Amino acid sequence: MAQLTYVSRSVGLITLQNPPVNALSAAVRQGIVDTVERALNDPKVKSVVICGQNGIFCGGADITEFNKNMTGPPLVPMIHAIEAMNKPVVAAIEGSAFGGGLEVALGCHYRIAHSKARLGLPEVTLGLLPGAGGTQRLPRLIGIPAALSLITTGRHVTATEALQLGIVDQVTDHNAVDVAVKFAQSIAGQPLDYRRISNYPCPRPSDLDALFEDMMQKVRQSARGAIAPVACVQAVRAAATLPYAQGMEREKELMATLFTSGQARALQYFFFAQRAAGKWMMPSGARWDTSKPRPVHKAAVIGLGTMGRGITVALAQTGLSVVAVETQEKQLMEAKQEVSGMLQRGAKRRGVAPALDRISYSQNIQAVADVDLVIEAVFENMALKKKVFQQLSAVCKPGTFLFTNTSTLDVDQLASETPNPELVVGMHFFAPAHVMKLLEVVYGPRSSPQAVATAIQLGKKMGKASVAVGNCHGFVGNRMLKPYINQASFLLEEGATPELVDRALVEFGFSMGAFRMSDLSGLDIAWKIRKEEGMVQLGMASGPSARIRHGCRYSPLGDLLCEQGRFGQKSGQGWYQYDKPGGRIARSDPWLHRFLEEYRARHGLVARNIDQQEVLERCLYSLINEGFRILEDGIAAGPEDIDVIYVFGYGWPRHRGGPMFYAGMVGLAKVLERLEHYHQAHPDVPSLQPCGLLRRLVASGSPPVNKWREVIKKLHSQL
Ligand code: NAI
């Protein structure tokens, strides 16, 4: 709701009241309409201030109302009524003014913001556009380039930037409501026509067409198939080329198209999926977060290679003291330099002092005796990690949490090396660890809820999307990636090229295709793991049973490339060629195409034409199928957890909601039918065999994704 009170006799103060962020629910909109009318008709009121309770102006639309029938007054006429008032209206912006909240402020005649406030139009991140006049008023107020940069990205700006851009008229360190009230009193009776933004002409640069063409190209490139940013550009173009009323019509049409699109549904689903995953339930439905995390002040990182360096930076940036241990002197020297560089660059970007003095370095594991938790990031080798865990158990003070960044090893086996297995948890970061937003927190059968809670909380403090997952080979993300990568390789054997496969995946919306990704992360890493697992032995890749392992289809193509020293980007050659080792531009490699032809000839394989649809169905549906198995096994608590992992860790396009949501959009029956089809064609590929849970969901009428947990729970209770 909204309340009207009288301040200093002549100012009507309208306060939005809807905790926690004063979202514009039907009741709040009705409250605004009523209070505006009362203020308008009350002769005592000479000017009006709009603010939000509890130091927050307004967080925007009430997203929970999106999929319901609209009740209450619509936003657009409500904002017009504010703008049309013949008494000055001042927005007092404290905390945040986002989305519809900022659009309300743009309908006011003046805007005064507290210096700590943040403003923005984030609708595009939910697959929409600012549809209450935001696309028409903002360009009129701050010009087309600045408005486009805000509206097409949804980025937030600080009060200072908002002042520089001209979004607000004044920034204050004092109470913004008090300042706004005083200001409102001082301008009572002044003319308002020149303060109504809808009356402003939209500034038109001379090269308007070129500007929009350029912007459209940029947006299409970065949007990777998302339609909302494109619609945002079209709406702003309407502001620049049409009179206000017609521009509003165009905004409405574009909004209607977006509102009913699958992408908006996917993005809104993903918004809630992040919250659901944040609650980190156990597959049984019990919640971990009833356990209190233990406070952590000092942490240690063991092993300063690629991962350890990034983890050290992330911990120091969170404000923790860090002891960084590395046994190899050369590595230690390099790590010191690299960590300092990363901290300095990060601090410069954020305008803060670098946290260099929070880190102490040592070659001796004894240095970790007084830390609250340890994150181990030594080589991926079970014997070595076991030894490190034994040493840590002897050195650390009692109760120290022992976390491992292993990407494939059994967390519970490591726990067995310590007298307190309940303190051991996996903390699976992604490279580069100080940048990537995903963290899988791996709980073993003996991990205590408090240890898991502490790992999750630490991850959240580092700004990571932290998802609790069960202990199995590859955990969630890498386990699902395996069948996807396998399918990509099988497609090469059957006649595709890396370019064809990658193109299909990029057009789907991935930031890069399977082969480009594999070149980037290094083919040798997976090769080393396969060798340690005994999947690959010398000579096997070219021997008679090259294409079969444990009775199932296997593609040795990656092994063959590694045998030739083609490790990907780092060595200058992999599935593509690069201008130099470490070079970033991937080019098609004629050698690779010849190599594939020779390989097919050697194994009697006849290349056939493979289209994009087959690439997508085989790569994506096999990945999704593994996702169903993960749910069936109780390794992830729900489909939302998997989707959060895939969007934040694996470049799955957010506007497609994540793999499990996407399966629902395609139709579970169709996914099942295609998997059956491909499994019939490739019976020696078990990952194509449809999972029991998928069959069960289809049999129970393909419920929407937010109902899957119930089916899974029933399944587990029957086991
Ligand atoms: P790396 O090879 O770059 O670094 C390992 C470091 O550990 C080396 O500097 C080595 O000298 C040091 N080390 C070895 N034994 C040690 C000991 N006893 N005490 C102290 N330091 C010791 O390895 P990377 O890539 O950083 O991987 C580390 C861990 O992170 C592995 O378990 C890996 O599976 C996991 N991981 C790696 C990812 C990646 O993309 N590289 C992603 C996610 C997890």
Side-chain angles (χ1 to χ4, degrees), residues 241 255 298 419 443 495 575 582:
T241 52
M255 181 66 160
K298 193 167 181 183
Y443 57 88
W575 298 109

Side-chain angles (χ1 to χ4, degrees), residues 72 79 95 136 172 254 258 296 302 403 426 434 437 618 644-645 703:
I79 294 174
Q136 304 304 299
T172 176
L254 289 163
L258 292 178
V296 177
I302 313 290
F403 297 162
H434 61 301
K437 202 153 153 56
R618 281 178 56 185
V644 167
I645 288 173

Side-chain angles (χ1 to χ4, degrees), residues 291-338:
S291 172
K292 276 227 168 347
R294 198 162 351 119
V296 177
H297 305 289
K298 193 167 181 183
V301 178
I302 313 290
L304 297 181
T306 312
M307 295 308 289
R309 295 174 194 186
I311 297 169
T312 303
V313 170
L315 288 169
Q317 282 176 343
T318 311
L320 266 66
S321 301
V322 187
V323 183
V325 179
E326 165 64 56
T327 43
Q328 301 301 312
E329 193 172 346
K330 188 167 165 277
Q331 282 284 87
L332 184 65
M333 299 312 285
E334 273 178 25
K336 270 188 194 174
Q337 268 198 346
E338 206 183 322

Side-chain angles (χ1 to χ4, degrees), residues 302-309 325-328 331 365 376-381 384-385 387-388 391 404-408 428-431 521 525:
I302 313 290
L304 297 181
T306 312
M307 295 308 289
R309 295 174 194 186
V325 179
E326 165 64 56
T327 43
Q328 301 301 312
Q331 282 284 87
I365 204 160
E376 166 279 308
V378 303
F379 300 127
E380 186 73 342
N381 176 291
L384 172 65
K385 286 195 194 269
K387 198 175 118 213
V388 170
Q391 287 173 332
T404 171
N405 182 45
T406 179
S407 44
T408 53
H428 185 212
F429 290 85
F430 290 73
S521 33
I525 294 184

Side-chain angles (χ1 to χ4, degrees), residues 40-60:
L40 183 67
N41 294 328
D42 186 339
K44 281 200 306 294
V45 174
K46 306 289 182 220
S47 51
V48 174
V49 169
I50 302 184
C51 67
Q53 73 173 7
N54 296 332
I56 295 171
F57 183 72
C58 174

